[in-house]
Amino acid sequence: LLSCYSIPSAISNVIAQKLSLKEYRNAHRIFVCSMYYVLGVGLIASLLLYFGAGWFVETSAIPVLRVFAPTIFLYGILGVLRGYFQAHKSMVQTSISQILEQIVNAVVSIGAAWWGVQLAFGQAKEAAVKGSQEVSQGLWAYSENTRAIYGAMGSAVGTGAGVLFALLFMAGIYKVNRDYFHKRIQRDKTGKVDSYKDISRTIAGVVLPFILST
C-alpha cells in the first residue's frame, strides 16, 4: 500500500493535470520525482520486509516472505511507468503489461513451485535411504514442511518474475517514446517550472488520500 499500490492512479492524476495545461516540463519533473519516491520508499519497504520478516510471520514462513521483498521494490517502479502512460490517456501499455505479468506469474509460479517441491522431496528421499527407520520417519515428517516452504517460495518467485517482465516491457515502451516526450518538453512555452520541493508536496497530497481510502 505504501510503496506501490496507489502510485499508478495518483501519479496519473497529478501528471494529467499538468498535461492539460500544456506544462510538459513540469509533467516530466513529476515523473522523475515520483520515480525517486518509489525508489526510496520501495527500498525501505523491501529492506524492512527482508530483515524484519520474523516480525510479521512465523519462522517457517520467513524465507517465503523474504522472496517477496524485491518484488515490492520493482512494483513501485512499474507503477510509476504505468501511471505516466495513463496520464497520457493511454491504457494500452498498462493493459498489455498486466496481461504479460499474469501469464509469466502463472507459468513461473507453477514451474518454480513444482521444482521446489521436487527438490525437497528428493532431499528427504535421499536422507531416508541413508538413515534408520526412526530417523527416516522424522526426516520425512520434517520434509513435508520443507516441501510446503519450497513450494510457496517458488510461487513467490513467480510473482516477482511477472512484475519484472512487466517492468521490462514498460521500460521498453518508454524508451521507444522517449524522444517524443523530450521533444514535447522542448516545445513547452508556458515558462512554468515547479520546484521539486513543491512537486513532492503535491505527490504526497495526492498519494496519501489514495492510501487512506484503500
Side-chain angles (χ1 to χ4, degrees):
L1 293 180
L2 293 176
S3 65
C4 56
Y5 185 83
S6 58
I7 289 299
S9 298
I11 298 307
S12 175
N13 285 326
V14 178
I15 294 179
Q17 180 183 5
K18 295 299 182 181
L19 292 177
S20 65
L21 299 174
K22 299 185 184 300
E23 297 181 17
Y24 302 120
R25 191 178 304 278
N26 284 331
H28 188 74
R29 288 170 73 87
I30 293 173
F31 170 69
V32 174
C33 190
S34 302
M35 193 64 72
Y36 279 115
Y37 168 83
V38 296
L39 289 174
V41 177
L43 179 61
I44 293 173
S46 296
L47 293 176
L48 177 63
L49 190 63
Y50 185 86
F51 292 105
W55 300 341
F56 305 110
V57 295
E58 297 179 359
T59 304
S60 59
I62 289 177
V64 182
L65 200 59
R66 285 178 172 172
V67 174
F68 275 116
T71 304
I72 292 180
F73 179 75
L74 296 176
Y75 201 88
I77 304 173
L78 175 60
V80 171
L81 288 170
R82 284 174 172 172
Y84 189 61
F85 281 97
Q86 290 176 27
H88 289 80
K89 300 179 180 180
S90 177
M91 288 293 295
V92 175
Q93 298 83 359
T94 296
S95 300
I96 295 177
S97 70
Q98 289 176 335
I99 293 172
L100 294 175
E101 177 186 348
Q102 295 307 315
I103 292 175
V104 174
N105 184 1
V107 173
V108 176
S109 291
I110 295 174
W114 179 86
W115 181 81
V117 170
Q118 294 302 313
L119 179 63
F121 184 81
Q123 292 176 349
K125 186 176 182 180
E126 182 180 354
V129 172
K130 294 181 180 179
S132 63
Q133 183 177 0
E134 182 178 352
V135 174
S136 298
Q137 291 176 351
L139 289 171
W140 197 262
Y142 173 78
S143 74
E144 290 184 355
N145 184 53
T146 304
R147 279 179 284 174
I149 294 174
Y150 279 27
M153 290 174 65
S155 180
V157 169
T159 303
V163 171
L164 177 60
F165 194 87
L167 175 58
L168 293 176
F169 172 80
M170 292 299 298
I173 295 297
Y174 176 79
K175 184 177 181 179
V176 171
N177 293 276
R178 184 171 56 184
D179 290 341
Y180 166 75
F181 293 141
H182 283 279
K183 288 180 180 178
R184 193 170 57 174
I185 292 173
Q186 294 174 358
R187 295 197 302 266
D188 187 344
K189 304 299 183 182
T190 62
K192 296 182 179 180
V193 180
D194 296 339
S195 67
Y196 282 113
K197 183 177 181 180
D198 291 337
I199 292 174
S200 299
R201 290 176 178 174
T202 301
I203 293 175
V206 175
V207 172
L208 287 177
F210 274 94
I211 294 175
L212 294 176
S213 63
T214 303

